[in-house]
PDB file of all heavy atoms in Angstrom:
ATOM      1  N   ILE R 685      16.248   7.555  11.656  1.00 98.00           N
ATOM      2  CA  ILE R 685      16.003   6.232  11.130  1.00 98.00           C
ATOM      3  C   ILE R 685      17.271   5.372  11.218  1.00 98.00           C
ATOM      4  O   ILE R 685      17.222   4.218  11.592  1.00 98.00           O
ATOM      5  CB  ILE R 685      15.505   6.337   9.669  1.00 98.00           C
ATOM      6  CG1 ILE R 685      14.085   6.921   9.589  1.00 98.00           C
ATOM      7  CG2 ILE R 685      15.574   4.968   8.931  1.00 98.00           C
ATOM      8  CD1 ILE R 685      13.629   7.309   8.235  1.00 98.00           C
ATOM      9  N   GLY R 686      18.399   6.021  10.953  1.00 98.00           N
ATOM     10  CA  GLY R 686      19.695   5.335  11.043  1.00 98.00           C
ATOM     11  C   GLY R 686      19.992   4.873  12.505  1.00 98.00           C
ATOM     12  O   GLY R 686      20.429   3.769  12.689  1.00 98.00           O
ATOM     13  N   VAL R 687      19.686   5.781  13.416  1.00 98.00           N
ATOM     14  CA  VAL R 687      19.987   5.466  14.845  1.00 98.00           C
ATOM     15  C   VAL R 687      19.152   4.269  15.291  1.00 98.00           C
ATOM     16  O   VAL R 687      19.674   3.281  15.854  1.00 98.00           O
ATOM     17  CB  VAL R 687      19.715   6.690  15.740  1.00 98.00           C
ATOM     18  CG1 VAL R 687      19.750   6.353  17.212  1.00 98.00           C
ATOM     19  CG2 VAL R 687      20.700   7.842  15.389  1.00 98.00           C
ATOM     20  N   TYR R 688      17.865   4.275  15.007  1.00 98.00           N
ATOM     21  CA  TYR R 688      16.975   3.192  15.421  1.00 98.00           C
ATOM     22  C   TYR R 688      17.297   1.879  14.668  1.00 98.00           C
ATOM     23  O   TYR R 688      17.366   0.779  15.231  1.00 98.00           O
ATOM     24  CB  TYR R 688      15.512   3.541  15.245  1.00 98.00           C
ATOM     25  CG  TYR R 688      15.077   4.574  16.237  1.00 98.00           C
ATOM     26  CD1 TYR R 688      14.638   5.833  15.807  1.00 98.00           C
ATOM     27  CD2 TYR R 688      15.115   4.336  17.620  1.00 98.00           C
ATOM     28  CE1 TYR R 688      14.230   6.831  16.717  1.00 98.00           C
ATOM     29  CE2 TYR R 688      14.654   5.309  18.540  1.00 98.00           C
ATOM     30  CZ  TYR R 688      14.269   6.565  18.099  1.00 98.00           C
ATOM     31  OH  TYR R 688      13.867   7.490  19.003  1.00 98.00           O
ATOM     32  N   GLY R 689      17.453   2.037  13.332  1.00 98.00           N
ATOM     33  CA  GLY R 689      17.686   0.837  12.532  1.00 98.00           C
ATOM     34  C   GLY R 689      18.970   0.144  12.811  1.00 98.00           C
ATOM     35  O   GLY R 689      19.128  -1.073  12.778  1.00 98.00           O
ATOM     36  N   ALA R 690      20.003   0.941  13.203  1.00 98.00           N
ATOM     37  CA  ALA R 690      21.329   0.348  13.441  1.00 98.00           C
ATOM     38  C   ALA R 690      21.302  -0.605  14.612  1.00 98.00           C
ATOM     39  O   ALA R 690      22.044  -1.557  14.682  1.00 98.00           O
ATOM     40  CB  ALA R 690      22.370   1.450  13.705  1.00 98.00           C
ATOM     41  N   GLU R 691      20.365  -0.353  15.575  1.00 98.00           N
ATOM     42  CA  GLU R 691      20.237  -1.201  16.765  1.00 98.00           C
ATOM     43  C   GLU R 691      19.840  -2.653  16.315  1.00 98.00           C
ATOM     44  O   GLU R 691      20.366  -3.622  16.868  1.00 98.00           O
ATOM     45  CB  GLU R 691      19.226  -0.656  17.750  1.00 98.00           C
ATOM     46  CG  GLU R 691      19.710   0.570  18.459  1.00 98.00           C
ATOM     47  CD  GLU R 691      18.604   1.323  19.192  1.00 98.00           C
ATOM     48  OE1 GLU R 691      17.510   0.739  19.383  1.00 98.00           O
ATOM     49  OE2 GLU R 691      18.867   2.498  19.523  1.00 98.00           O
ATOM     50  N   ARG R 692      18.974  -2.724  15.287  1.00 98.00           N
ATOM     51  CA  ARG R 692      18.581  -4.086  14.807  1.00 98.00           C
ATOM     52  C   ARG R 692      19.779  -4.771  14.131  1.00 98.00           C
ATOM     53  O   ARG R 692      19.931  -5.982  14.250  1.00 98.00           O
ATOM     54  CB  ARG R 692      17.389  -3.989  13.808  1.00 98.00           C
ATOM     55  CG  ARG R 692      16.107  -3.527  14.415  1.00 98.00           C
ATOM     56  CD  ARG R 692      15.582  -4.616  15.388  1.00 98.00           C
ATOM     57  NE  ARG R 692      14.680  -4.009  16.361  1.00 98.00           N
ATOM     58  CZ  ARG R 692      13.363  -4.222  16.413  1.00 98.00           C
ATOM     59  NH1 ARG R 692      12.768  -4.943  15.514  1.00 98.00           N
ATOM     60  NH2 ARG R 692      12.609  -3.605  17.347  1.00 98.00           N
ATOM     61  N   ILE R 693      20.555  -3.967  13.393  1.00 98.00           N
ATOM     62  CA  ILE R 693      21.722  -4.620  12.749  1.00 98.00           C
ATOM     63  C   ILE R 693      22.729  -5.061  13.793  1.00 98.00           C
ATOM     64  O   ILE R 693      23.277  -6.182  13.704  1.00 98.00           O
ATOM     65  CB  ILE R 693      22.379  -3.589  11.722  1.00 98.00           C
ATOM     66  CG1 ILE R 693      21.313  -3.189  10.652  1.00 98.00           C
ATOM     67  CG2 ILE R 693      23.591  -4.212  11.086  1.00 98.00           C
ATOM     68  CD1 ILE R 693      21.853  -2.119   9.673  1.00 98.00           C
ATOM     69  N   GLU R 694      22.899  -4.208  14.811  1.00 98.00           N
ATOM     70  CA  GLU R 694      23.817  -4.616  15.896  1.00 98.00           C
ATOM     71  C   GLU R 694      23.345  -5.905  16.609  1.00 98.00           C
ATOM     72  O   GLU R 694      24.182  -6.721  16.970  1.00 98.00           O
ATOM     73  CB  GLU R 694      23.964  -3.458  16.910  1.00 98.00           C
ATOM     74  CG  GLU R 694      24.854  -2.353  16.430  1.00 98.00           C
ATOM     75  CD  GLU R 694      24.985  -1.191  17.418  1.00 98.00           C
ATOM     76  OE1 GLU R 694      23.982  -0.922  18.101  1.00 98.00           O
ATOM     77  OE2 GLU R 694      26.077  -0.624  17.538  1.00 98.00           O
ATOM     78  N   ALA R 695      22.028  -5.979  16.772  1.00 98.00           N
ATOM     79  CA  ALA R 695      21.522  -7.190  17.469  1.00 98.00           C
ATOM     80  C   ALA R 695      21.820  -8.425  16.628  1.00 98.00           C
ATOM     81  O   ALA R 695      22.211  -9.471  17.206  1.00 98.00           O
ATOM     82  CB  ALA R 695      19.985  -7.041  17.668  1.00 98.00           C
ATOM     83  N   ILE R 696      21.652  -8.340  15.349  1.00 98.00           N
ATOM     84  CA  ILE R 696      21.975  -9.533  14.504  1.00 98.00           C
ATOM     85  C   ILE R 696      23.479  -9.802  14.547  1.00 98.00           C
ATOM     86  O   ILE R 696      23.860 -11.000  14.607  1.00 98.00           O
ATOM     87  CB  ILE R 696      21.491  -9.247  13.036  1.00 98.00           C
ATOM     88  CG1 ILE R 696      19.956  -9.134  13.033  1.00 98.00           C
ATOM     89  CG2 ILE R 696      21.976 -10.357  12.105  1.00 98.00           C
ATOM     90  CD1 ILE R 696      19.355  -8.756  11.641  1.00 98.00           C
ATOM     91  N   SER R 697      24.249  -8.754  14.559  1.00 98.00           N
ATOM     92  CA  SER R 697      25.695  -8.946  14.611  1.00 98.00           C
ATOM     93  C   SER R 697      26.049  -9.680  15.931  1.00 98.00           C
ATOM     94  O   SER R 697      26.927 -10.587  15.901  1.00 98.00           O
ATOM     95  CB  SER R 697      26.393  -7.575  14.556  1.00 98.00           C
ATOM     96  OG  SER R 697      27.709  -7.632  14.864  1.00 98.00           O
ATOM     97  N   LEU R 698      25.420  -9.308  17.034  1.00 98.00           N
ATOM     98  CA  LEU R 698      25.661  -9.942  18.314  1.00 98.00           C
ATOM     99  C   LEU R 698      25.313 -11.464  18.230  1.00 98.00           C
ATOM    100  O   LEU R 698      26.082 -12.290  18.649  1.00 98.00           O
ATOM    101  CB  LEU R 698      24.808  -9.336  19.424  1.00 98.00           C
ATOM    102  CG  LEU R 698      25.537  -8.255  20.285  1.00 98.00           C
ATOM    103  CD1 LEU R 698      24.538  -7.681  21.274  1.00 98.00           C
ATOM    104  CD2 LEU R 698      26.727  -8.919  21.003  1.00 98.00           C
ATOM    105  N   GLU R 699      24.103 -11.726  17.648  1.00 98.00           N
ATOM    106  CA  GLU R 699      23.633 -13.107  17.519  1.00 98.00           C
ATOM    107  C   GLU R 699      24.626 -13.897  16.708  1.00 98.00           C
ATOM    108  O   GLU R 699      24.897 -15.096  16.933  1.00 98.00           O
ATOM    109  CB  GLU R 699      22.303 -13.137  16.722  1.00 98.00           C
ATOM    110  CG  GLU R 699      21.067 -13.112  17.550  1.00 98.00           C
ATOM    111  CD  GLU R 699      19.859 -12.850  16.691  1.00 98.00           C
ATOM    112  OE1 GLU R 699      19.768 -13.416  15.567  1.00 98.00           O
ATOM    113  OE2 GLU R 699      19.006 -12.027  17.140  1.00 98.00           O
ATOM    114  N   LYS R 700      25.245 -13.261  15.709  1.00 98.00           N
ATOM    115  CA  LYS R 700      26.158 -13.917  14.809  1.00 98.00           C
ATOM    116  C   LYS R 700      27.610 -13.881  15.328  1.00 98.00           C
ATOM    117  O   LYS R 700      28.553 -14.233  14.650  1.00 98.00           O
ATOM    118  CB  LYS R 700      26.144 -13.330  13.403  1.00 98.00           C
ATOM    119  CG  LYS R 700      24.877 -13.578  12.634  1.00 98.00           C
ATOM    120  CD  LYS R 700      24.991 -13.112  11.194  1.00 98.00           C
ATOM    121  CE  LYS R 700      25.802 -14.034  10.311  1.00 98.00           C
ATOM    122  NZ  LYS R 700      25.863 -13.675   8.895  1.00 98.00           N
ATOM    123  N   LYS R 701      27.700 -13.434  16.573  1.00 98.00           N
ATOM    124  CA  LYS R 701      29.051 -13.344  17.239  1.00 98.00           C
ATOM    125  C   LYS R 701      30.052 -12.571  16.395  1.00 98.00           C
ATOM    126  O   LYS R 701      31.214 -12.963  16.241  1.00 98.00           O
ATOM    127  CB  LYS R 701      29.591 -14.680  17.570  1.00 98.00           C
ATOM    128  CG  LYS R 701      28.655 -15.538  18.471  1.00 98.00           C
ATOM    129  CD  LYS R 701      29.332 -16.704  19.039  1.00 98.00           C
ATOM    130  CE  LYS R 701      28.543 -17.464  20.059  1.00 98.00           C
ATOM    131  NZ  LYS R 701      27.109 -17.454  20.019  1.00 98.00           N
TER     132      LYS R 701
END
Side-chain angles (χ1 to χ4, degrees):
I685 288 169
V687 170
Y688 290 116
E691 289 168 15
R692 292 291 156 109
I693 300 176
E694 282 180 325
I696 294 174
S697 169
L698 262 177
E699 269 168 39
K700 290 189 77 175
K701 302 194 172 27

